[in-house]
Amino acid sequence: MAEFLIETIGLPVWLSWTAIAGLSAFLILNVIAGGALVFIWAERKIAARIQDRLGPTRTGGRFGWLQSLADGIKLLAKEDLMPDGADALLFRIAPYVSFCASFCAFIALPFAFDVVGQRLNVGVFFVVAVLGLEVFGVILAGYASASKWSLFGAMREAAQVVSYEVPLGMCVVVPVMLAGSMDLVTIGEKQAGWASNWFIFHDPFTFIIFWVYYTCALASVNRAPFDLAEAESELVAGFHTEYSGLRWSFFFMAEYGSMFLVSALAAILFLGGWNGPVPVSKLLGLSDGMAVNAPYALRLLGCVNLFLKAAVGVFVMMWIRWTLPRLRIDQVMTTCLKYCTPIAAAMFVGVMLWQLFLPGGLVPGSFQNAAGVREGWLEQSGSEESVNKDSLSGITPSRRIAEVSR
Amino acid sequence: MNHEALSVLASLFPFLDWHGFFFLLFAGVACVAAVMVVLSDNVVRMALHLVLSLGATAGLFFLAGAEFVGAMQLMIYVGGTLVLLVFGVMLTAQTQLVALRTPAGDRVIAGILAAALLAVLVQAAFSIDSWQKAGQGVATAPTATPLGMALVGVRVDQVADENLVRPKSGYLLPFEIVSVHLLVVLVGAAYLARAKRRRVPRPVDLVASADSVKPGSPVAASSTLVAGGSE
Amino acid sequence: MTFALFGVVSVSHYLVVGAILFTCGVVCMALKRNAVGVLMGIELVLNGANVNFVAFGSEYLAGDGRSVLGLDGEVMALFVILLAAAEAAVALAITLNFYNNHATVDVDRADDLHG
């Protein structure tokens, strides 16, 4: 898009990039804020239904859909309190640290083919790494609050998040291995076509590892049954005990933002990303099924697809929260170290062997991965070829690898 | 907005070259935060500044085109600092350990020596002409794939070099050594940090009873410490 | 009024950043009495070295389009990061042990072998 501004309209380079960056930041911010509003409302309704109540019914019409907006205004008007013994600076910046981490991770998250803040060659790792920084805000909040409840909550969260990074990383590596790229856009594109091309259906191992990923994602965003950091029956409210008003709401924006983020990541890595279960556009002859050549309207449709899949993921998280009891801290650690990590490691080896011996699926040709169509970053489209000038006269890495192994 | 107005605008802000701007931003944050690590006495503040410094350095890596290293820096380095931060919080829960002050005389001597060291290093940095030539700013090919191939022993970036009869060997052996090293370290750290049985009760045991948590798990150790410290 | 620095980021600039980080780390290691603080100094030193490795390995920064180290710079940076993580794990375990034995993390008190 920046190229369009530079070449067609003739804006200066820096101004084009500024405009595009501002636009992307604005859109992402709106996705997070709007998502938080919708998800908080949805959480109340779902919780109410599961507990056989009605939930919000009055504010803003029949379903109370303006309830979270009203709550937001109430939070803005609340008094901003700070405990006496608090470390003022850390107490103030902690919510923003959390929120920034959640926000930054969205930068590399594609919503459809090339609808992404910044397409990164190492997108998967970037998202996972930045998401892991969210815990910094929580620890700072727990420490700076000068409250034992907060400190306990923060220490629990730290132990939990650091441990769950390990299996989460292993799960994330599996789709990377299948797609042969760490670029999220490429990973999503490799699953184009029928739903059988989604990586979750690639082989039995990926099917299992998807659920391991979901469990670890649940733990890494501190949702029930892993929400020990804010266990209200033991720790009042955990790390945000002492927070009120706008700062408190920033913690919640961060939490809902990362819930959406890990769900969207699950959708991209395992559930086909922005590709629907049926390649409608290909069947109707609108495109050849590859998003590179698809018109922009289809990319918008891809956005809708991804949002739907991520919303389903968030919905399941809420469903779990209001259904399952909270685990004890030792049970949380056992789940991670004794179950998730070994299972993830075994599945990782399994997928690797499957790739080696049954690359075409059980029935030969049944799995029509878009392999070979796009070989990752360098061949994303014709126009990019000139920008990403390979230092070795345009030899793509895969060809070079082939040359070496000959 | 017509072109002339834009060019006037551009000439007013000649420094708005984003690469230079972001370099200055990240470099500034990294250096200032590093100085703050030295200057602050509170361990938690130090850890926060260290995180800032390391994060800004990751930004510098991204700017230099080393995306994979930048992402790894965020994931491993900053994550490792997270553990440092946790330890800082745990150990500073005891008030007398919050700030271990250094005598002012030591600070002065350290400052002089640091200035000398910095002067030498900066002089060295600007001593070679070819290092001072500004980068071409050409977008280069992503290095993640060649990096991964190099780690398993194939140097794809050397194939097209006509001067080489065979491509240079990669880093398979160092990679294996490092992996074994990490395993050994993991076992060693777990062995060192395990909860030991001892006849003389530790100071922390006097305050906190570790009855509800299983001994041996890292969480047990940390929660015991926190409980012991904050009493 | 163009600043000489803007738009002309070179390897030297990265080296200066690395030098500052390195110096801060050295001072941190020498000055801090807190064992965790000393560890942070080590992290800073390794990080400063890493900046240099990446700068020398970057084609983007190289004045003539060919970097000094090429891919080796990035590989070395990766190894440094890994070994820093390993070092931090062991050092923290030692610190924890020390704390358990002496109820302090002041490195000046670690003089049991002093005789």
Side-chain angles (χ1 to χ4, degrees):
Chain A
M1 206 133 75
E3 285 83 13
F4 168 76
L5 282 182
I6 295 168
E7 285 161 17
T8 318
I9 305 187
L11 292 181
V13 175
W14 60 268
L15 192 62
S16 324
W17 284 113
T18 316
I20 296 303
L23 184 66
S24 310
F26 178 76
L27 286 178
I28 293 174
L29 203 58
N30 274 298
V31 166
I32 298 179
L37 284 186
V38 173
F39 288 142
I40 288 172
W41 172 80
E43 174 126 43
R44 295 182 154 201
K45 289 306 256 187
I46 290 167
R49 287 294 162 184
I50 289 176
Q51 295 167 349
D52 206 9
R53 311 183 269 121
L54 282 177
T57 50
R58 285 165 201 247
T59 321
R62 231 186 116 197
F63 300 108
W65 57 276
L66 272 181
Q67 184 64 46
S68 38
L69 193 64
D71 281 349
I73 295 170
K74 178 198 76 178
L75 282 172
L76 277 178
K78 264 193 173 179
E79 188 186 357
D80 188 19
L81 290 172
M82 191 189 301
D84 229 5
D87 189 330
L89 172 77
L90 297 186
F91 187 83
R92 285 214 185 88
I93 66 168
Y96 307 123
V97 172
S98 260
F99 181 73
C100 283
S102 179
F103 177 76
C104 283
F106 272 88
I107 291 176
L109 187 80
F111 294 101
F113 182 78
D114 262 3
V115 183
V116 48
Q118 171 61 49
R119 186 171 174 178
L120 272 184
N121 188 32
V122 288
V124 181
F125 276 150
F126 182 82
V127 170
V128 174
V130 174
L131 197 64
L133 300 187
E134 202 193 331
V135 69
F136 269 106
V138 172
I139 296 178
L140 288 181
Y143 169 77
S145 293
S147 153
K148 280 178 200 169
W149 305 126
S150 307
L151 192 60
F152 269 121
M155 297 310 285
R156 283 180 178 187
E157 162 134 1
Q160 178 183 328
V161 170
V162 169
S163 314
Y164 272 92
E165 289 259 302
V166 179
L168 189 71
M170 276 190 204
C171 298
V172 156
V173 163
V174 167
V176 170
M177 198 164 66
L178 292 180
S181 167
M182 285 185 286
D183 178 16
L184 281 170
V185 180
T186 311
I187 292 178
E189 264 313 285
K190 289 268 181 182
Q191 305 171 59
W194 293 89
S196 58
N197 277 354
W198 295 359
F199 282 155
I200 185 176
F201 303 125
H202 182 270
D203 54 59
F205 304 109
T206 48
F207 187 78
I208 296 173
I209 212 160
F210 169 74
W211 301 106
V212 180
Y213 169 83
Y214 200 77
T215 312
C216 297
L218 209 57
S220 68
V221 297
N222 279 304
R223 287 291 293 187
F226 302 107
D227 60 342
L228 290 148
E230 45 195 274
E232 68 273 356
S233 52
E234 325 156 24
L235 294 181
V236 187
F239 65 92
H240 56 70
T241 307
E242 305 291 344
Y243 281 86
S244 66
L246 200 59
R247 290 189 218 289
W248 182 83
S249 66
F250 264 96
F251 274 125
F252 264 70
M253 298 254 274
E255 178 178 335
Y256 281 93
S258 16
M259 271 167 69
F260 181 79
L261 187 86
V262 290
S263 304
L265 198 61
I268 294 172
L269 291 179
F270 293 101
L271 301 177
W274 45 88
N275 303 297
V278 178
V280 183
S281 65
K282 190 179 179 186
L283 292 181
L284 292 178
L286 287 173
S287 76
D288 58 354
M290 294 300 151
V292 194
N293 311 317
Y296 275 94
L298 285 183
R299 293 190 187 177
L300 278 185
L301 196 65
C303 281
V304 175
N305 253 332
L306 186 77
F307 274 110
L308 276 180
K309 287 175 186 173
V312 169
V314 175
F315 167 74
V316 175
M317 284 186 179
M318 292 171 181
W319 181 16
I320 291 173
R321 170 170 180 186
W322 297 104
T323 311
L324 293 182
R326 180 179 298 125
L327 296 179
R328 267 194 339 254
I329 183 72
D330 63 317
Q331 290 170 331
V332 170
M333 290 324 222
T334 309
T335 313
C336 171
L337 298 173
K338 287 195 183 158
Y339 295 100
C340 283
T341 311
I343 293 176
M347 293 305 115
F348 177 75
V349 174
V351 173
M352 196 177 65
L353 293 177
W354 186 281
Q355 278 285 89
L356 270 181
F357 296 114
L358 287 168
L362 270 183
V363 187
S366 68
F367 184 77
Q368 299 181 346
N369 191 333
V373 178
R374 264 171 309 285
E375 299 183 333
W377 180 261
L378 286 170
E379 291 175 327
Q380 50 176 306
S381 65
S383 65
E384 296 279 333
E385 201 76 48
S386 54
V387 180
N388 290 323
K389 209 183 293 165
D390 197 344
S391 56
L392 299 173
S393 62
I395 307 178
T396 59
S398 53
R399 267 188 56 202
R400 269 186 263 148
I401 293 162
E403 247 171 70
V404 170
S405 49
R406 230 188 292 131
Chain B
M1 205 187 272
N2 57 15
H3 286 222
E4 282 174 24
L6 283 174
S7 58
V8 168
L9 202 61
S11 64
L12 278 179
F13 300 100
F15 52 84
L16 271 176
D17 159 45
W18 284 119
H19 189 262
F21 173 78
F22 277 116
F23 170 77
L24 272 198
L25 179 72
F26 285 136
V29 171
C31 295
V32 171
V35 173
M36 292 303 289
V37 172
V38 178
L39 291 185
S40 51
D41 281 320
N42 185 329
V43 182
V44 179
R45 290 278 178 98
M46 276 163 58
L48 177 70
H49 291 135
L50 186 66
V51 168
L52 266 182
S53 181
L54 297 181
T57 315
L60 284 180
F61 291 171
F62 276 104
L63 277 187
E67 294 166 314
F68 189 70
V69 182
M72 284 294 113
Q73 165 107 355
L74 279 180
M75 205 175 207
I76 302 174
Y77 230 136
V78 182
T81 321
L82 175 77
V83 184
L84 278 180
L85 182 66
V86 172
F87 268 74
V89 172
M90 266 162 50
L91 300 176
T92 50
Q94 266 187 333
T95 39
Q96 78 265 23
L97 295 182
V98 169
L100 285 169
R101 293 201 174 278
T102 321
D106 290 5
R107 281 172 182 256
V108 173
I109 299 173
I112 295 170
L113 288 179
L117 177 63
L118 190 62
V120 171
L121 288 177
V122 169
Q123 194 272 334
F126 282 107
S127 62
I128 308 270
D129 284 337
S130 69
W131 295 353
Q132 291 187 50
K133 244 197 306 182
Q136 309 280 301
V138 185
T140 48
T143 51
T145 311
L147 210 54
M149 295 305 290
L151 284 180
V152 294
V154 182
R155 290 294 296 269
V156 286
D157 58 326
Q158 307 277 0
V159 175
D161 198 341
E162 296 85 9
N163 301 328
L164 292 171
V165 183
R166 292 180 55 216
K168 274 192 201 167
S169 62
Y171 285 92
L172 184 58
L173 187 63
F175 183 73
E176 289 301 326
I177 292 174
V178 162
S179 60
V180 174
H181 176 88
L182 279 179
L183 180 67
V184 171
V185 161
L186 201 65
V187 175
Y191 175 76
L192 276 178
R194 78 197 191 283
K196 299 177 193 71
R197 244 174 256 283
R198 58 184 71 227
R199 272 157 286 156
V200 187
R202 292 175 298 166
V204 284
D205 287 335
L206 296 176
V207 200
S209 58
D211 47 358
S212 60
V213 276
K214 255 199 257 172
S217 73
V219 191
S222 64
S223 56
T224 314
L225 277 178
V226 172
S230 51
E231 286 296 330
Chain C
M1 44 166 283
T2 47
F3 288 21
L5 185 64
F6 290 107
V8 285
V9 179
S10 66
V11 176
S12 288
H13 296 114
Y14 269 71
L15 294 190
V16 171
V17 176
I20 294 175
L21 291 180
F22 184 86
T23 313
C24 285
V26 170
V27 175
C28 202
M29 279 199 292
L31 270 188
K32 298 290 175 192
R33 287 170 61 200
N34 194 325
V36 181
V38 176
L39 259 179
M40 291 182 191
I42 299 174
E43 301 266 330
L44 270 181
V45 165
L46 292 174
N47 198 42
N50 246 357
V51 171
N52 286 15
F53 272 127
V54 169
F56 281 130
S58 164
E59 282 174 15
Y60 193 82
L61 294 174
D64 44 5
R66 277 196 79 85
S67 57
V68 183
L69 286 182
L71 200 58
D72 298 335
E74 291 188 21
V75 176
M76 279 302 148
L78 275 184
F79 280 136
V80 169
I81 290 176
L82 289 181
L83 293 180
E87 161 263 319
V90 173
L92 278 175
I94 293 173
T95 306
L96 189 61
N97 240 351
F98 180 58
Y99 179 82
N100 282 344
N101 289 331
H102 293 76
T104 180
V105 285
D106 185 354
V107 284
D108 290 348
R109 298 262 303 274
D111 51 3
D112 289 1
L113 296 181
H114 196 266

